[in-house]
Amino acid sequence: MISFHSMPPLRLLWSMACVLQACRAFDLSVSARLERTLPRMAPFRSVHLAMAESNDGKAAGVKKALFGRFRSKREVEKAEKIAPGQSLPDIEVDALLFNEDVEAGEEDALDVPVAVLPIGAALGNGTSILVGMPGAFTPTCNDRHLPGFVNNLDKLRALGVERVAVMTTNDRFVNSAWRNSVEACMQTKSGLIMLSDADGDIVKALGLVDDMGFGLGVRSQRFVLVLEDGVVKHVAVDEGSSDLKSTSAEATIEYLQQTRGAGAAASSQVNDTRPAILAAAALLILLAAYYATTNDALMPQSIGYQKIPSM
């Protein structure tokens, strides 16, 4: 062990100068490394600063630092929301075609046959339903919304619905893979028409579009339109990407049952009045015949005229 007390004064000063020089060189090296490293450590530094703000603001500060990319919603330019009595816009959509010869879930992902046609032509005449969903494979759409309409398609057809179409702002390849996945999971053909509004032109024209935040962007709102010959009769919208209340298959069936029930009741009332009207008409005819025969009986017999002989 070296003892500084046994060293000559000049040697001691020299040793101390060497140590100081080494420390200075080390400090410069560390500073250079920090200058190169700190920019990459900026997110962690921001987390540290956010956590140091206050005990009450720790959670908010950390969330802002770590999840700042998950931005709030942005305003989206769109038309006024479509209302009952209005017609669908004349905008084309990709309609996925059915392949009846292929089992559920066995379609080729690279072969997605589609028909490009106006949205109104895709839904056709008669009673049809257009269901808008925020996105394929998203939790609520995948687990509840789409399977709900697959399971209740027969009930909807029994209520007079001819076609049910599901539309998202995904491209046709994503929608095809989504349909195949759901069909394979449910072990059945969906029977639903899948529509792709990849550019979002239709949902913007319908006024049924929203910004879902970072990672999702501009998407279709969750909505249901009930149409008669292309004219909107009913509009239902659920806000956000997870709510499913007024646009569910069950809620749509309830609406159709109420409207069909009201129509049937009105028709029944009309039918119930017809026997009374017929009975009243028959009574009038009988009364008219009775008065006609009575008047004939009361009329005096004709005595005729006698010919006066000529002079």
Side-chain angles (χ1 to χ4, degrees), residues 59 61 82 94 107 140 184 227 259 268 296:
I82 194 167
D94 286 348
E107 289 85 348
T140 302
L227 304 107
T259 55
S268 177
D296 289 344

Side-chain angles (χ1 to χ4, degrees), residues 35-86:
E35 287 178 359
R36 294 193 302 268
T37 307
L38 281 177
R40 289 178 289 178
M41 296 178 63
F44 302 98
R45 183 171 178 272
S46 64
V47 172
H48 174 72
L49 294 176
M51 294 180 65
E53 288 178 355
S54 64
N55 291 334
D56 296 336
K58 280 184 178 180
V62 172
K63 182 178 179 182
K64 182 178 180 180
L66 291 177
F67 303 103
R69 297 181 69 192
F70 294 90
R71 57 173 174 75
S72 58
K73 292 184 178 181
R74 297 171 179 169
E75 292 295 327
V76 180
E77 293 185 6
K78 57 184 177 180
E80 187 177 353
K81 185 174 72 173
I82 194 167
Q86 296 180 335

Side-chain angles (χ1 to χ4, degrees), residues 1-290:
M1 182 176 179
I2 301 175
S3 175
F4 291 103
H5 296 285
S6 61
M7 297 177 62
L10 293 176
R11 187 184 179 101
L12 179 60
L13 291 174
W14 175 258
S15 299
M16 293 178 64
C18 291
V19 171
L20 291 174
Q21 183 66 23
C23 291
R24 184 172 180 273
F26 177 78
D27 184 60
L28 292 175
S29 176
V30 171
S31 298
R33 290 182 181 180
L34 287 176
E35 287 178 359
R36 294 193 302 268
T37 307
L38 281 177
R40 289 178 289 178
M41 296 178 63
F44 302 98
R45 183 171 178 272
S46 64
V47 172
H48 174 72
L49 294 176
M51 294 180 65
E53 288 178 355
S54 64
N55 291 334
D56 296 336
K58 280 184 178 180
V62 172
K63 182 178 179 182
K64 182 178 180 180
L66 291 177
F67 303 103
R69 297 181 69 192
F70 294 90
R71 57 173 174 75
S72 58
K73 292 184 178 181
R74 297 171 179 169
E75 292 295 327
V76 180
E77 293 185 6
K78 57 184 177 180
E80 187 177 353
K81 185 174 72 173
I82 194 167
Q86 296 180 335
S87 299
L88 293 174
D90 187 20
I91 301 177
E92 291 184 338
V93 65
D94 286 348
L96 275 65
L97 302 179
F98 293 100
N99 190 347
E100 300 295 341
D101 298 329
V102 179
E103 295 296 329
E106 295 183 359
E107 289 85 348
D108 185 358
L110 299 179
D111 182 19
V112 182
V114 297
V116 181
L117 68 170
I119 180 67
L123 294 172
N125 295 324
T127 303
S128 58
I129 296 176
L130 178 62
V131 186
M133 299 187 189
F137 295 106
T138 55
T140 302
C141 301
N142 189 73
D143 300 338
R144 299 168 56 198
H145 207 182
L146 182 61
F149 276 94
V150 173
N151 287 329
N152 289 283
L153 185 58
D154 290 338
K155 293 181 180 179
L156 292 168
R157 286 173 173 168
L159 290 168
V161 177
E162 298 182 23
R163 280 163 296 278
V164 178
V166 175
M167 183 174 67
T168 74
T169 49
N170 300 109
D171 61 71
R172 66 180 186 273
F173 297 101
V174 173
N175 274 346
S176 176
W178 184 34
R179 181 180 67 182
N180 297 346
S181 174
V182 171
E183 288 179 349
C185 181
M186 301 181 69
Q187 291 297 306
T188 182
K189 284 283 189 179
S190 69
L192 305 176
I193 302 173
M194 300 297 292
L195 304 177
S196 292
D197 180 26
D199 293 330
D201 293 336
I202 296 176
V203 290
K204 289 178 182 177
L206 293 174
L208 297 171
V209 63
D210 199 3
D211 182 272
M212 300 295 178
F214 181 84
L216 290 176
V218 177
R219 296 295 183 105
S220 167
Q221 286 185 293
R222 194 179 305 282
F223 67 84
V224 164
L225 299 182
V226 179
L227 304 107
E228 293 284 349
D229 297 327
V231 179
V232 177
K233 297 298 182 182
H234 172 68
V235 180
V237 180
D238 282 322
E239 299 296 334
S241 61
S242 59
D243 289 346
L244 180 61
K245 296 178 182 177
S246 60
T247 62
S248 67
E250 293 77 11
T252 307
I253 290 173
E254 183 178 355
Y255 162 77
L256 290 172
Q257 288 175 339
Q258 292 175 352
T259 55
R260 297 294 191 270
S267 177
S268 177
Q269 291 178 356
V270 172
N271 292 334
D272 290 343
T273 59
R274 288 178 181 176
I277 294 174
L278 293 175
L283 181 60
L284 290 175
I285 293 173
L286 291 175
L287 289 174
Y290 171 77

